[in-house]
Amino acid sequence: MTEIVIEAGLTRLVLAPGDDGRLHQLHLGPPEAGPRPDLPLALYPLAHPTFGEEPLREPAVRVTHADGAVSTRLRFDGAEHEGSEHRIRLVDRVAPLAVTLCYRPWPDVDAIEQWVEVANEGDAPCRLHQAASGAPALAGPAPHLTHWGGGWAGEWTPTTEPLGPGTKTVASFGGVRSSLYRPPVVLWSPDGTATEESGTVLAGTVRWGGDVRFDAEVAPHGQHRLIAGPQSVGAERVLDPGEVLVTPTVVWTWSTRGIGEASRRLHRFARRHVVRDGARTRATVANTWEAVFFALDPDGLAAQVDRAAALGCELFLLDDGWFGRRDDDTTSLGDWEVDRRKLPEGLQPLIDLTLAAGMRFGLWVEPEMVNAASDLYAAHPDWVIGEPGRERREERNQLVLDLCRPEVRDFVVATIDRVLGDHPGITYLKWDANRDVTEPGSGALSADRQSHLAWDRVRATREVMAEVARRHPDVELMLCASGGGRSDLDTLRWFHEVWTSDDTDPVDRVRIQWGASHLLPASVLGAHVTRWGGRPVAFGCAVAMSARFGVDLDLTTLTDLESVTVAEAVAAYHRIRDVVQHGDLHRLVSPVGSDRAALAHVSGDRAVVFLYRLPGDPGGGDPVPVPGLDPDIPVTVTDLTPGRPPADRLTTLVDGAVPWPAGDAPVATIVEVTPV
Ligand code: GLA
């Protein structure tokens, strides 16, 4: 028997072809629990199921071959590895179709990355209805699936559910803001007992900046499976002779040490191997959006800059409203010229002022979109996504530019070149995208290939993003799509952070950031203090400080006390941000189903602990132990809770633990713990 072993630290996958040529999965799990050699190979599940082969099972590949046949049955046709990367070639028994399973182990983060290449090796086209990235077989007595969703301002609302017989599908639609509805990550717990610190869980994330799909299948005799990849509905493809379709990848990590460990591995993977400049410390941002919205004027902005610098912020971000005639969201997307009615001298005086105040300057753009009320749309009505003879429905008064057209890609790249070239000193862009694709059609695609838009538009967008990143290596990019609509580990290759959610009520943010932390490290989760929810500014600061901190407040109307609180928060954040942004996250007390939360970021012998009591919490309760603390080593406790009077500050732990804050919720405690 030829065994193919893919080792990635604590995650191990073993595959082998049977006598009939079919490829079976012998093992996915920790390295120590290998395959049971006593079982006949044919009893092991298939490594990659196809339509028409296994009756009553979900397929990972479905093709209509050139001869009209709809079944695919794959047999092993050789395996090779280059370095640590494995390629296992499977071919159909009749049709000229090759399906190559590809695996890239990441032993430093205990994860395996997987993708599939589907090749039409015949001389006539075939139709590819579905091509998942991976479909590992799983076993276990009581499988549970955890997934997230929630839509605008409700990102990362969790669901954990037991899986009954049949298939549970969770998927996204809309193509642009996919992770607003369905972040591309799930957890599979074989016995449903995994906790943060113990138990077995498989985490999987599809690296794709478009729609994704997870099919969690529970079949008789414990033959379960998790099929993951890009969304297949509406994404059918014609595969021409000689064409090879490469799927997006999916990253798997198998943890026998609970959910927290799986998240920490994904964070390490993101920081080390995905996120642009992943090791770089992120700046503290002062943004104008919730401060002044579209009401921009030179004096008002100068006053915001002045206050932002005085409070210790490092980057001033001018959000929406600076271009065209943009007094609200009904016009001007596409017309990327400074609105001289609002800023008669242009942007440069504001940029210069910001730089002179010792801060960096950032600017908001939404380059993939156009308002119908714009010069761009008047000049190029054919540049948008749409279908002949169908309505062009506007969402937030806008349409999606068709990046499948090369001239539109060139326009977007040139626009960003021009905005940056005309304004020396911009080193940060917030790249937004505020509507989904509906009526998905493209004039760049032939009538029989309209459904190619689903993948081609994502790839075209990636191409544009990659080109912008290549041309402007010194400009940091924030990824925003009506909040966290683009929270995936593919697009982040060109971006430094995401805007986690438009919901900035810190009470909601405790839960949203908690959910987001299952995939994304704190360094990339933009978290700003605003007036949303009418909470105390000190509490808003304490929540934002557990991620990438910023403010989105009218800084000219802060009370004196609030100004002191924000300045204190910025200073405290700068002291702890290396631990918060780059340390290991431990989620200690969950706000899911409760009104309190505790988490700690740990780096070496330093820990920063955040405790939040939310409205409804009665107070009291046991202090929260600091993870990884040796009770015999004396520690220094520094209470960094913004706004807390010096007399009330915590100076020692209670039996190695941090007590919950007293007083009316919402209220927080932040402490830094270091060895003496
Ligand atoms: C979106 C973003 C917000 C803000 C507005 C501006 O909603 O998510 O942060 O930039 O657009 O119009």
Side-chain angles (χ1 to χ4, degrees), residues 103-451:
Y103 300 89
R104 180 184 299 137
W106 294 98
D108 66 325
V109 297
D110 306 300
I112 296 174
E113 186 167 20
Q114 177 184 7
W115 71 98
V116 170
E117 297 179 4
V118 184
N120 179 357
E121 298 183 341
D123 50 17
C126 62
R127 292 193 88 79
L128 182 59
H129 307 278
Q130 184 193 358
S133 309
L138 298 158
H144 282 60
L145 189 76
T146 300
H147 50 95
W148 291 265
W152 182 78
E155 295 95 331
W156 294 100
T157 304
T159 302
T160 295
E161 53 188 323
L163 294 170
T167 300
K168 167 81 189 182
T169 298
V170 291
S172 45
F173 290 95
V176 177
R177 305 180 300 175
S178 311
S179 46
L180 215 52
Y181 317 104
R182 180 68 56 205
V185 59
V186 298
L187 305 176
W188 173 291
S189 164
D191 57 11
T193 61
T195 66
E196 279 296 324
E197 296 304 328
S198 71
T200 297
V201 70
L202 174 74
T205 184
V206 179
R207 298 186 62 190
W208 184 234
D211 296 333
V212 299
R213 180 182 179 97
F214 296 92
D215 295 300
E217 187 193 27
V218 168
H221 315 301
Q223 298 250 332
H224 312 321
R225 201 176 259 132
L226 180 57
I227 304 172
Q231 170 63 286
S232 53
V233 174
E236 187 185 48
R237 297 188 72 88
V238 177
L239 217 53
D240 283 322
E243 190 178 344
V244 181
L245 184 97
V246 181
T247 70
T249 71
V250 55
V251 175
W252 306 109
T253 186
W254 187 276
S255 166
T256 53
R257 304 172 188 173
I259 298 165
E261 175 61 22
S263 301
R264 288 186 286 279
R265 292 182 194 169
L266 291 176
H267 296 171
R268 275 177 225 137
F269 177 67
R271 282 190 302 240
R272 289 184 196 167
H273 304 301
V274 178
V275 174
R276 193 161 157 216
D277 300 320
R280 184 185 289 175
T281 295
R282 270 54 181 162
T284 294
V285 175
N287 188 22
T288 58
W289 178 241
E290 288 197 47
V292 295
F293 294 100
F294 294 100
L296 309 180
D297 71 274
D299 290 347
L301 289 171
Q304 299 292 342
V305 166
D306 195 48
R307 293 305 303 140
L311 295 170
C313 297
E314 297 164 320
L315 193 149
F316 187 77
L317 171 59
L318 181 61
D319 208 284
D320 198 354
W322 60 269
F323 55 93
R325 300 175 67 81
R326 181 108 166 142
D327 296 329
D328 53 33
D329 61 18
T330 59
T331 74
S332 301
L333 289 176
D335 299 342
W336 300 103
E337 299 286 346
V338 181
D339 183 348
R340 299 271 167 175
R341 297 169 313 152
K342 294 183 186 174
L343 302 165
E345 307 296 323
L347 286 179
Q348 203 57 45
L350 183 67
I351 297 172
D352 293 342
L353 192 75
T354 304
L355 302 185
M359 290 187 294
R360 292 166 52 202
F361 189 87
L363 192 65
W364 181 93
V365 289
E366 192 175 351
E368 301 155 63
M369 302 285 162
V370 64
N371 282 114
S374 68
D375 295 343
L376 181 69
Y377 188 65
H380 299 288
D382 53 335
W383 274 17
V384 299
I385 285 173
E387 296 175 301
R390 274 73 172 178
E391 72 280 17
R392 285 186 173 178
R393 202 141 38 96
E394 293 172 28
E395 241 180 70
R396 209 195 187 205
N397 310 296
Q398 63 195 64
L399 298 155
V400 183
L401 287 175
D402 183 2
L403 293 178
C404 292
R405 290 171 177 266
E407 67 273 27
V408 180
R409 292 200 292 277
D410 291 347
F411 166 81
V412 171
V413 172
T415 297
I416 292 175
D417 280 352
R418 182 173 52 74
V419 169
L420 292 173
D422 287 353
H423 300 101
I426 299 178
T427 55
Y428 183 99
L429 291 177
K430 175 178 176 181
W431 180 313
D432 210 340
N434 284 307
R435 72 154 288 178
D436 302 305
V437 171
T438 54
E439 294 79 39
S442 168
L445 298 167
S446 59
D448 65 331
R449 284 153 208 240
Q450 288 294 302
S451 57

Side-chain angles (χ1 to χ4, degrees), residues 503-525:
D503 184 345
T504 49
D505 176 342
V507 171
D508 297 342
R509 269 303 189 106
V510 166
R511 297 192 169 99
I512 291 172
Q513 290 167 202
W514 184 272
S517 76
H518 287 80
L519 177 65
L520 299 174
S523 54
V524 308
L525 292 174

